[in-house]
Amino acid sequence: MENLPQIVGVLSDGLPETVIATLGGVLLTIILSIVAGLLLLSSSRTVRGVTRVYVEGFRGTSEVVQLFWIYFVLPVLVGFQLLPLFAGIVVLGLNHGAYGAEIVRGAVRSVPRAQYEGAIALSLSPAQRMRRVILPQAVVEMLPPFNNLFIQLLKSSAILALITVPEVTRQAREVLIPNFGADTLLIFGVTFVIYLVLAALITLVMRLLERMASARLGRRPSRAARAAARAAGPTGTEGVAV
Amino acid sequence: MPLWDWNYAFEILPDLLWALVTTIEITLLGSVVALLLGLVFAVLRRLHIPVLDQVLWAFIEVVRSTPLLVQVFFLFFVLPQFGVTLSAFVVGVVGLGVHYATYTSEVYRAGIDAIPKGQWEACTALSLPRLRIWTGVILPQAVPRVLPALGNYVISMFKEVPLLLAIGVVEVVNEARELGSLTFRYTEPYTIAGLLFLLLSYPASMLVRRLERRRVHA
């Protein structure tokens, strides 16, 4: 126990990297999810096809392979090396963006057809229709599954330890284990607490956003949507068919 | 030196396929743990046993919200201090299995919650014993409904096996890394490793999707 202050100190040295990787990954995920999600709904077969290749390619392979590929193989092919943290953010974003695209697609499609027809009847342009009618309603549907996805992303950020990013997990494995070999329980106990707190923060922010997005539509956040998202988990974006 | 060397690619393919067998073994064994333990979690939580219920809830929340890699390190470094030394392979199976059991327990829970109240009432009316209610009425209806969701988790587990290279399990990606370090050519091993994952998990997820659609229409 007497080593606790040092252990906490070393682990918190890794905190900025974990937070930056997660926030960067989340930002990239949001952008890619919306873009790819809307492209999946495009009327052009080619656009849909190309987007499908991205989505299935990243959903179908292991995140560790993607990380190693971008960090070790890409430099050989294009001639420049990405910084480890940057490569990590790119992979976290690309991978979770592929899952997020399905969330966005599903949420947009879940908006009742009458809403489209109403928007057309009011002669809103396609862009106005999307921005002012469809997306505000779709966003409410998206937030609970995105909460799961972002927590998944936070957890995935631990694999950056494998490409030398000095984030929390790497600090525990490479700095603390060799030096405080007798305190392994304490080391990983504190590590678990750090991730739990970060995950709780993500949920807190997402709940707040859920409430805001629902209030905008004059609704209250739905417990059912949250429960469904929890059962569907990080991968089953279609929801559990019950 | 060419960017892609076919001879080299074919030369390393058998080694990678052998490592793929290990990956599949861990996936299948881990799935058995995840599917059984998840069911146990779901049923236990449904029984609302004081104290055990809260402990189980806390355990599931911690496992769900923290990285699998950290949990694997936990099993690998902490357990030996308490006299339990497991091989890297077993740590992988247990780590993956327990982590995904917390996910599958939610899936089973959703399936159990979807059983109409009348089924429970009928069981009471027939005064069936507790065990028969679960094994004869509830689970046979709840489990088939959630099979697609469970299938998705098995596929996810398959894709998470490479994490175990951090504790020295020689699965596909670790094999690719070792092959690459012999020749300093990483393009072929890592690309093939990626394609192997795609080749197995894409058809598998198509299968799950078809199962899902059949259930929706049924």
Side-chain angles (χ1 to χ4, degrees):
Chain A
M1 261 311 189
E2 71 274 17
N3 292 326
L4 184 64
Q6 278 146 294
I7 289 174
V8 171
V10 173
L11 288 177
S12 41
D13 284 342
L15 204 54
E17 308 275 337
T18 295
V19 171
I20 292 170
T22 306
L23 288 182
V26 163
L27 195 69
L28 192 57
T29 297
I30 294 173
I31 297 168
L32 285 170
S33 303
I34 294 175
V35 172
L38 294 179
L39 289 181
L40 281 176
L41 294 162
S42 150
S43 53
S44 148
R45 260 189 110 94
T46 331
V47 172
R48 279 203 316 264
V50 171
T51 317
R52 265 278 148 229
V53 171
Y54 157 64
V55 170
E56 300 300 343
F58 276 90
R59 278 165 41 123
T61 53
S62 170
E63 210 173 358
V64 175
V65 183
Q66 292 160 18
L67 187 68
F68 282 10
W69 207 88
I70 288 195
Y71 190 62
F72 295 111
V73 177
L74 200 65
V76 181
L77 300 182
V78 298
F80 62 87
Q81 172 103 40
L82 294 175
L83 288 171
L85 181 61
F86 190 70
I89 290 174
V90 168
V91 169
L92 289 174
L94 282 170
N95 182 287
H96 293 85
Y99 286 99
E102 288 288 352
I103 296 176
V104 171
R105 185 187 72 101
V108 169
R109 280 205 4 189
S110 76
V111 175
R113 193 134 187 91
Q115 296 289 328
Y116 285 89
E117 288 158 4
I120 293 170
L122 291 169
S123 68
L124 297 183
S125 73
Q128 283 175 320
R129 210 191 306 159
M130 204 32 107
R131 207 166 56 82
R132 311 208 67 119
V133 181
I134 308 302
L135 279 185
Q137 300 182 64
V139 163
V140 177
E141 298 288 317
M142 283 176 215
L143 290 173
F146 265 115
N147 186 4
N148 276 334
L149 191 68
F150 294 156
I151 289 178
Q152 198 66 24
L153 192 149
L154 164 71
K155 296 194 295 173
S156 285
S157 74
I159 64 170
L160 304 202
L162 303 176
I163 56 163
T164 73
V165 177
E167 45 71 77
V168 174
T169 306
R170 189 174 174 89
Q171 292 289 95
R173 171 68 186 89
E174 301 295 331
V175 181
L176 291 177
I177 290 289
N179 291 314
F180 299 95
D183 292 322
T184 48
L185 187 62
L186 201 57
I187 294 170
F188 288 112
V190 177
T191 309
F192 281 138
V193 171
I194 291 177
Y195 281 104
L196 275 174
V197 170
L198 291 177
L201 282 176
I202 292 176
T203 301
L204 195 76
V205 172
M206 292 303 284
R207 289 274 165 92
L208 210 71
L209 289 175
E210 247 177 86
R211 198 163 304 159
M212 279 162 55
S214 306
R216 227 179 117 194
L217 300 179
R219 291 187 206 155
R220 319 186 77 178
S222 101
R223 287 184 80 91
R226 220 180 273 155
R230 190 178 163 89
T235 48
T237 46
E238 307 282 331
V240 185
V242 285
Chain B
M1 211 160 70
L3 281 180
W4 181 269
D5 183 346
W6 279 108
N7 286 328
Y8 177 53
F10 280 114
E11 199 183 306
I12 59 174
L13 191 59
D15 286 337
L16 287 173
L17 287 175
W18 265 117
L20 185 65
V21 174
T22 308
T23 307
I24 294 172
E25 275 170 6
I26 295 177
T27 308
L28 293 181
L29 292 172
S31 302
V32 172
V33 176
L35 295 180
L36 291 179
L37 193 62
L39 187 60
V40 171
F41 284 166
V43 173
L44 280 181
R45 291 227 51 205
R46 181 87 199 189
L47 299 176
H48 300 297
I49 303 163
V51 185
L52 180 71
D53 199 37
Q54 284 78 19
V55 171
L56 215 51
W57 174 82
F59 177 78
I60 291 174
E61 284 307 311
V62 171
V63 175
R64 279 175 71 99
S65 319
T66 54
L68 176 58
L69 185 59
V70 179
Q71 292 161 17
V72 167
F73 282 150
F74 181 89
L75 292 175
F76 197 66
F77 291 109
V78 178
L79 286 191
Q81 294 205 323
F82 295 88
V84 186
T85 308
L86 305 173
S87 72
F89 185 93
V90 176
V91 165
V93 170
V94 173
L96 212 56
V98 172
H99 189 84
Y100 276 84
T102 62
Y103 291 132
T104 57
S105 77
E106 288 295 325
V107 172
Y108 286 121
R109 190 192 51 78
I112 294 167
D113 284 352
I115 303 293
K117 222 174 146 210
Q119 298 285 324
W120 291 97
E121 289 164 355
C123 291
T124 313
L126 293 168
S127 63
L128 287 182
R130 250 287 176 67
L131 191 68
R132 277 296 301 281
I133 297 180
W134 282 104
T135 57
V137 181
I138 304 302
L139 293 182
Q141 296 183 77
V143 174
R145 289 175 197 232
V146 296
L147 279 181
L150 295 176
N152 275 329
Y153 280 123
V154 172
I155 300 171
S156 300
M157 289 175 76
F158 171 58
K159 289 180 291 187
E160 293 230 55
V161 173
L163 270 186
L164 303 176
L165 67 85
I167 54 165
V169 175
V170 184
E171 44 60 61
V172 178
V173 182
N174 206 0
E175 181 70 38
R177 185 166 70 166
E178 272 167 28
L179 290 166
S181 69
L182 292 177
T183 53
F184 294 105
R185 286 196 66 93
Y186 288 97
T187 311
E188 293 86 354
Y190 284 142
T191 308
I192 296 173
L195 289 175
L196 288 177
F197 275 99
L198 197 60
L199 226 58
L200 284 177
S201 74
Y202 185 65
S205 66
M206 280 289 135
L207 209 73
V208 169
R209 249 174 255 181
R210 253 183 52 192
L211 203 70
E212 213 163 47
R213 223 165 288 152
R214 264 226 325 256
R215 296 245 155 250
V216 173
H217 291 304

